[in-house]
Amino acid sequence: MINNLYNVFFDATHNVFQLMLNISDISAQPEEEFKCDDEVDISVGIQGDLSGEVIYRFPVPTSLNIVNIMSGMQFDSVDAFVTSAVSEMANIISGNVLTALSDNDVKCDILPPVLCKLDDDKDYELKTSCCINTAIGEICLLIRLNRAS
Amino acid sequence: MLWKDQYELGVPLIDAQHKELFRRVEAFLQVLRSGVSWDDKALQLNDTLEFMKGYVVEHFRDEEEYQESIGYPGYEAHKQIHNNMVDYVLEVSKQYEESNKNEDLMQQFGGRLLAWLINHVAAEDQRIANYAREKGVSGNDK
Ligand SMILES: [Fe+2]
């Protein structure tokens, strides 16, 4: 399970997009193809059998599309409403990941989502990215975790 | 419209409450996102906020009672999710009062509430309906 974190995150994202946005057509994308200048970055801290964080990179057009679909209203720029809605979505995806991990006896908790900046990352034992292409734009998850010693 | 028929659980009381909740949240968002000045919005939002504080608690209680009545195994965990949301709503309205009606706080609240509600009703609450269907007790609500 731990060796398959990529799939766990991919599946959780897939589920949440399907249930919340009615989007089922999503596919994996190589990280090199993920190009984005203007984005909403949200970090969700993880503690327990695995510790570290997952950074959700939502490009601005993806963020706006998500909120437009959820609200049925038109959002044209990123404001406190949009970042908060997208943060909650990162929280929900992370929650689904925890459930999948816990079904396989990996016990973790998550911290509330916070806006973050992409920094030069430290070294992590389990470090992978999960970039996804969807009908409403791309997203990329940076997974940075250590096993509890 | 914010409500979608696919959210229906097949439990008339709960479905009616969910629809009302979505209707209220939608009205709340329309005011929150309208073009009028913040002072004008703040007045209207107060009423909705007060209503929701009462209605959400009432709805959660009814939904929990239903879960208990069908012996839903996820009852405790679900109740915890409800309690956390009620705590969040109370905390935000306290902060909002203390901040003298700060707009960003309310915009943040709106965004989170929207995403939370959709996921909760589309995912968490559906598990109750799935269980009722498997157990053959769907439609046994009061
Ligand atoms: Fe519920």
Side-chain angles (χ1 to χ4, degrees), chain A:
Chain A
M1 174 54 64
I2 288 184
N3 297 321
N4 214 348
L5 281 175
Y6 176 93
N7 283 346
V8 178
F9 277 92
F10 184 91
D11 290 348
T13 308
H14 189 239
N15 278 340
V16 170
F17 266 68
Q18 187 151 35
L19 278 174
M20 293 183 68
L21 308 171
N22 263 330
I23 288 173
S24 47
D25 196 9
I26 80 173
S27 58
Q29 188 190 42
E31 198 188 353
E32 313 80 75
E33 284 175 26
F34 181 82
K35 290 211 171 50
C36 178
D37 311 322
D38 207 4
E39 61 194 68
V40 182
D41 296 323
I42 292 141
S43 164
V44 177
I46 297 186
Q47 294 175 335
D49 290 344
L50 296 172
S51 68
E53 64 174 344
V54 178
I55 297 174
Y56 291 81
R57 301 179 61 191
F58 290 94
V60 166
T62 311
S63 306
L64 295 174
N65 283 337
I66 288 173
V67 179
N68 288 346
I69 293 178
M70 285 198 298
S71 66
M73 298 163 102
Q74 187 62 37
F75 285 76
D76 301 313
S77 62
V78 171
D79 62 9
F81 188 104
V82 174
T83 53
S84 173
V86 172
S87 297
E88 180 61 19
M89 191 138 171
N91 188 41
I92 292 164
I93 296 173
S94 307
N96 280 21
V97 167
L98 286 204
T99 308
L101 289 175
S102 135
D103 290 344
N104 286 276
D105 275 327
V106 180
K107 305 291 178 204
C108 302
D109 286 312
I110 48 175
L111 301 175
V114 285
L115 281 173
C116 70
K117 289 207 163 57
L118 293 181
D119 50 2
D120 261 336
D121 38 339
K122 293 177 280 179
D123 258 348
Y124 288 87
E125 216 180 314
L126 304 158
K127 206 168 134 186
T128 178
S129 61
C130 177
C131 292
I132 295 170
N133 201 2
T134 80
I136 56 158
E138 307 164 316
I139 59 168
C140 195
L141 282 56
L142 309 179
I143 302 160
R144 303 164 165 187
L145 297 166
N146 289 315
R147 285 187 178 87
S149 42

Side-chain angles (χ1 to χ4, degrees), chain B residues 17-29:
Chain B
Q17 290 182 347
H18 279 163
K19 281 181 196 164
E20 177 66 7
L21 202 53
F22 271 74
R23 207 176 62 74
R24 289 289 181 153
V25 169
E26 190 166 18
F28 172 74
L29 296 184

Side-chain angles (χ1 to χ4, degrees), chain B residues 56-73:
Chain B
V56 163
V57 170
E58 193 183 312
H59 159 62
F60 284 174
R61 197 196 50 220
D62 287 344
E63 200 191 86
E64 286 159 16
E65 265 176 27
Y66 170 71
Q67 293 176 34
E68 250 188 329
S69 77
I70 61 165
Y72 179 59

Side-chain angles (χ1 to χ4, degrees), chain B residues 18 59-60 63 67 78 82 116 120 124-125 128:
Chain B
H18 279 163
H59 159 62
F60 284 174
E63 200 191 86
Q67 293 176 34
H78 199 112
H82 284 167
W116 184 90
H120 188 74
E124 297 294 339
D125 288 348
I128 311 166

